Amino acid sequence: SLNFRMYSVDFSRRDISFPHSAGGAHCFPDLRVGVFKEIVPMGIDPKIVSYKETGIHLSPQEFHREVEQYLSQASQGQSDTILLDCRNFYESKIGHFQGCLAPDIRKFSYFPSYVDENLELFKDKRVLMYCTGGIRCERGSAYLRSKAVCREVYQLKGGIHKYLEEFPDGFYRGKLFVFDDRYCRRLGTCRYCGVLWDQYKLCSSQHCRQLVLTCPSCCNKGLTACCPVCQEKELKVTSRASGQTLKEECECTRKRTRVPIEPLQQHYRIPLLGTVL
């Protein structure tokens, strides 16, 4: 087997950090390279909210000490800190830091709306932010700081990926959501039977294609959809007049903010498979 390293690089920065992880060739079957304006679109022009106004970067060691102090104070009901996970709900569902606040957002472009709707929650608070590899925190922390409500905003440099290199048995619980099986401690549960399970599959409904946790036993019973609506009705794929397919029309996604139909040109962004975000 071969060893691969995966990079997500912002060449406009001078302090580039290269997260790396050894793995067999089966973990990374393809390689694509793309150059684009944002690695993970937040939906706000980088000229308006710049990464140059980001939160204070904390090394894994510094972040570990902060989380340790936060958990100690929180247990006594005295904490003025928020430990904020700025990833998507399906990522935090199978792995997160103890005592974190994990927004129920489908994609990172919903993060600004979440912040706007919860400004009172962040007022006068110290915020410790983290994501998979530190990329989303670059924009997310800058947006949070632009609202001028927090006392301080910090972010984990290198994200969960770097933290786990230093503290594999630290305060992170569960599995890190990436495109391979490097971290496999169980946390999630099967959508149908509740058994411990953390390996996502796509909903079997072509109309939905949402991520779902369903164990092998339930899969063998034909339980492969994300919710009863998709499972029972076998919805057919429909399209708008423009020819763009409607992706999310089921019980699960109706409970969340609708995903906007993005301009066609945004779909030309080609991510690097295995990228740490």
Side-chain angles (χ1 to χ4, degrees), residues 42-270:
M42 190 173 69
I44 296 177
D45 195 310
K47 294 180 181 178
I48 298 175
V49 176
S50 171
Y51 71 86
K52 295 179 181 179
E53 302 298 328
T54 188
I56 299 171
H57 291 76
L58 298 178
S59 68
Q61 295 83 358
E62 292 170 327
F63 194 84
H64 183 80
R65 290 195 293 268
E66 285 284 351
V67 173
E68 184 174 39
Q69 182 178 4
Y70 158 71
L71 291 174
S72 176
Q73 293 176 344
S75 66
Q76 302 173 30
Q78 300 176 346
S79 180
D80 61 350
T81 300
I82 292 176
L83 180 56
L84 180 63
D85 188 326
C86 66
R87 300 173 300 160
N88 302 325
F89 76 91
Y90 53 81
E91 297 173 89
S92 59
K93 185 175 181 179
I94 63 168
H96 53 255
F97 276 95
Q98 292 176 256
C100 76
L101 171 63
D104 186 17
I105 56 176
R106 173 66 182 82
K107 56 193 299 189
F108 187 53
S109 59
Y110 288 164
F111 183 75
S113 295
Y114 173 82
V115 170
D116 292 346
E117 294 168 4
N118 294 277
L119 287 178
E120 194 61 30
L121 175 66
F122 296 107
K123 187 176 182 180
D124 298 325
K125 298 289 187 179
R126 297 175 73 251
V127 177
L128 303 174
M129 293 182 65
Y130 69 88
C131 60
T132 307
I135 300 299
R136 280 173 281 189
C137 281
E138 291 294 283
R139 300 295 313 286
S141 65
Y143 186 80
L144 190 55
R145 288 194 65 219
S146 73
K147 296 300 172 177
V149 295
C150 302
R151 193 164 84 246
E152 296 169 332
V153 179
Y154 300 93
Q155 67 185 77
L156 173 57
K157 185 175 182 179
I160 302 165
H161 190 281
K162 281 292 187 181
Y163 178 86
L164 288 175
E165 289 180 3
E166 299 288 336
F167 301 97
D169 298 311
F171 297 114
Y172 189 82
R173 296 290 181 268
K175 183 178 180 180
L176 177 60
F177 186 94
V178 289
F179 301 100
D180 56 71
D181 295 325
R182 288 167 296 159
Y183 303 106
C184 299
R185 286 174 290 175
R186 305 297 187 200
L187 178 67
T189 58
C190 174
R191 167 73 172 80
Y192 291 95
C193 70
V195 69
L196 291 176
W197 188 250
D198 62 7
Q199 296 182 26
Y200 276 110
K201 292 183 179 295
L202 288 174
C203 172
S204 57
S205 170
Q206 295 295 319
H207 188 82
C208 172
R209 309 300 285 172
Q210 180 62 275
L211 290 169
V212 57
L213 292 172
T214 177
C215 70
S217 177
C218 289
C219 280
N220 291 336
K221 296 176 184 177
L223 301 175
T224 56
C226 67
C227 69
V229 172
C230 284
Q231 187 67 47
E232 296 172 7
K233 294 189 177 181
E234 295 297 329
L235 298 176
K236 295 181 179 180
V237 174
T238 58
S239 299
R240 290 186 174 179
S242 64
Q244 292 175 312
T245 301
L246 292 174
K247 293 288 187 180
E248 302 186 43
E249 292 288 342
C250 69
E251 182 179 272
C252 296
T253 52
R254 286 195 188 113
K255 297 176 182 178
R256 300 188 177 94
T257 307
R258 288 294 298 273
V259 175
I261 299 297
E262 299 176 339
L264 193 59
Q265 60 266 26
Q266 289 194 22
H267 293 284
Y268 287 113
R269 295 181 300 101
I270 304 176

Side-chain angles (χ1 to χ4, degrees), residues 10-28:
D10 178 354
F11 287 104
S12 64
R13 297 191 65 104
R14 295 178 182 274
D15 56 337
I16 297 175
S17 175
F18 290 93
H20 59 85
S21 179
H26 66 283
C27 295
F28 305 98

